[in-house]
């Protein structure tokens, strides 16, 4: 996610080079989404509307670059859709399609013994290292590039934080080294790669809460998302990560029954207006919002709502 501290609709902008990376999105039609990414002189990278967008319109959808379920027994390995209670424990997929799409890196993951790594991260409440593990498996299988997330903005780790990552990195690398995977396939897996990927996941991962069902209006959709009982996992996206934050956003990201994200307009949006989402629960009071944003994303929010004390 782009991290910025203030909101303004007037920027000096220049086009962003879309050709330098790959991402997946779609809209209701075959036309490209009504947005563009641009570099601004005041807030860095941002997303702008290329035409008027009506409230409740679907702006675009996005598939995750990498995702990971909190529980293999509860959510699909590939798309994070809920699994039926009768699902066999050795079949963590909601469909044959999901199995086939992830077969390469699933097979890589199944070759390794993850007990030490999983226990270490699990007992410390660490979730993001599992996304690094998933991405590493995708790189080894050829389903992703090692620089897949390089386009995203990283957080800054202190030397103490980097030191604390040493053990989890060693456990991850050892798990691969103890398999029959050749050294040439894990040459990318250095401590620096691990830290760089984790630095991007740290401030760009979305907590996926499914609002299962069909919703005719955007308000019901947003409420269902907020009231979702529990998150099913984490995911990192490319294009949605370019959206800046606002405590009074004009766009909203929603997940219906899997990790395929939908970006919708919360109100009418003018051509040239920046599109912003809220990174946290917008119903919190100002002090709580600012505290969460500073601790989680490293910036002091100075959006119009925060400046007015709302």
């Amino acid at each position: 996610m782009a991290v910025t501290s203030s909101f303004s609709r007037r920027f000096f902008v220049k086009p962003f080079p879309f050709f330098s990376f790959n991402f997946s999105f779609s809209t209701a039609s075959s036309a490209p989404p009504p947005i563009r990414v641009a570099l601004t002189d005041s807030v860095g990278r941002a997303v702008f509307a290329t035409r008027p967008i009506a409230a409740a319109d679907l702006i675009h959808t996005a598939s995750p670059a990498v995702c990971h379920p909190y529980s293999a027994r509860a959510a699909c390995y590939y798309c994070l859709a809920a699994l039926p209670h009768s699902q066999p424990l050795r079949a963590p997929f909601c469909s044959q399609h999901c199995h086939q799409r992830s077969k390469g890196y699933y097979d890589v993951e199944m070759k390794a013994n993850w007990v030490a790594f999983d226990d270490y991260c699990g007992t410390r409440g660490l979730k993001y290292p599992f996304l690094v593990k998933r991405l590493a498996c995708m790189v080894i299988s050829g389903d992703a590039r090692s620089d897949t997330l390089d386009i995203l903005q990283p957080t800054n780790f202190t030397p103490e934080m980097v030191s604390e990552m040493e053990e989890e990195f060693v456990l991850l690398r050892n798990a691969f080294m103890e398999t029959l995977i050749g050294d040439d396939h894990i040459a990318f897996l250095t401590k620096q790669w691990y830290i760089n990927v984790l630095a991007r996941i740290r401030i760009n991962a979305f907590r996926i809460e499914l609002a299962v069902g069909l919703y005719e209006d955007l308000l019901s959709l947003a409420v269902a998302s907020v009231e979702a009982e529990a998150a099913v996992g984490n995911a990192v996206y490319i294009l949605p990560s370019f959206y800046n934050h606002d405590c009074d956003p004009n766009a909203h990201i929603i997940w219906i029954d899997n990790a395929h994200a939908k970006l919708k307009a919360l109100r009418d949006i003018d051509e040239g207006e920046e599109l912003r989402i809220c990174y946290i629960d917008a119903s919190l009071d100002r002090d709580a919002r600012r505290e969460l944003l500073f601790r989680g994303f490293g910036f002091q929010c100075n959006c119009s709502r925060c400046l007015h004390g709302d």
Side-chain angles (χ1 to χ4, degrees):
M1 301 176 190
V3 287
T4 60
S5 60
S6 62
F7 173 74
S8 172
R9 294 185 185 176
R10 297 188 180 276
F11 302 100
F12 295 102
V13 300
K14 53 187 176 181
F16 193 76
F18 273 112
F19 55 81
S20 64
F21 62 93
N22 295 315
F23 58 84
S24 173
F25 62 77
S26 63
T27 59
S29 68
S30 58
I35 58 172
R36 64 187 175 93
V37 178
L39 294 174
T40 73
D41 290 339
S42 54
V43 296
R45 191 165 51 205
V47 180
F48 297 89
T50 57
R51 62 165 173 78
I53 303 173
D57 273 3
L58 175 66
I59 303 168
H60 66 86
T61 65
S63 297
V66 60
C67 65
H68 194 281
Y70 288 157
S71 170
R73 298 185 180 185
C76 177
Y77 178 92
Y78 176 74
C79 75
L80 306 188
L83 295 177
H85 295 299
S86 59
Q87 186 88 347
L89 294 182
R90 294 296 296 172
F93 301 97
C94 68
S95 67
Q96 186 63 25
H97 170 76
C98 286
H99 190 184
Q100 288 301 317
R101 291 296 298 270
S102 58
K103 187 177 187 307
Y105 52 91
Y106 176 74
D107 289 348
V108 169
E109 185 171 339
M110 291 302 102
K111 288 181 180 179
N113 182 343
W114 296 106
V115 172
F117 178 84
D118 290 355
D119 285 351
Y120 181 88
C121 295
T123 56
R124 289 162 176 77
L126 304 176
K127 296 182 174 65
Y128 296 149
F130 292 106
L131 283 167
V132 184
K133 179 179 81 171
R134 174 65 58 84
L135 182 58
C137 292
M138 294 172 71
V139 174
I140 292 169
S141 68
D143 289 284
R145 292 165 49 117
S146 61
D147 62 354
T148 293
L149 303 184
D150 283 4
I151 192 69
L152 302 181
Q153 180 173 332
T155 191
N156 294 316
F157 288 137
T158 65
E160 292 76 14
M161 295 169 72
V162 171
S163 178
E164 291 173 358
M165 298 171 193
E166 177 71 29
E167 183 65 20
E168 64 203 57
F169 163 71
V170 170
L171 291 172
L172 178 69
R173 185 168 175 83
N174 285 348
F176 285 121
M177 292 181 68
E178 291 170 3
T179 68
L180 299 179
I181 298 173
D183 290 345
D184 56 328
H185 286 94
I186 58 173
F188 72 92
L189 189 54
T190 63
K191 183 179 179 181
Q192 191 59 54
W193 180 86
Y194 183 88
I195 293 170
N196 287 343
V197 170
L198 201 56
R200 285 160 173 80
I201 289 174
R202 180 78 173 264
I203 60 170
N204 290 286
F206 287 84
R207 184 172 181 263
I208 309 303
E209 295 182 344
L210 303 182
V212 179
L214 298 175
Y215 298 87
E216 297 298 327
D217 64 279
L218 187 61
L219 179 60
S220 297
L221 198 63
V223 170
S225 177
V226 172
E227 292 182 349
E229 290 185 0
V232 296
N234 291 113
V236 178
Y237 303 82
I238 302 301
L239 185 52
S241 292
F242 295 161
Y243 283 69
N244 287 316
H245 166 82
D246 199 292
C247 294
D248 184 21
N250 56 9
H252 181 65
I253 186 167
I254 188 77
W255 298 271
I256 304 299
D257 51 14
N258 56 38
H260 195 60
K262 298 178 184 293
L263 276 292
K264 285 201 161 192
L266 285 171
R267 56 171 174 77
D268 291 342
I269 299 170
D270 297 330
E271 179 179 352
E273 183 177 346
E274 185 184 357
L275 297 170
R276 292 201 170 200
I277 60 175
C278 187
Y279 294 173
I280 58 173
D281 183 354
S283 67
L284 297 172
D285 63 44
R286 185 186 68 166
D287 290 344
R289 295 197 311 271
R290 281 186 156 185
E291 174 72 12
L292 280 175
L293 289 167
F294 185 77
R295 290 174 57 189
F297 301 96
F299 70 93
Q300 181 76 42
C301 185
N302 290 314
C303 70
S304 177
R305 186 180 169 198
C306 283
L307 290 177
H308 285 85
D310 183 6

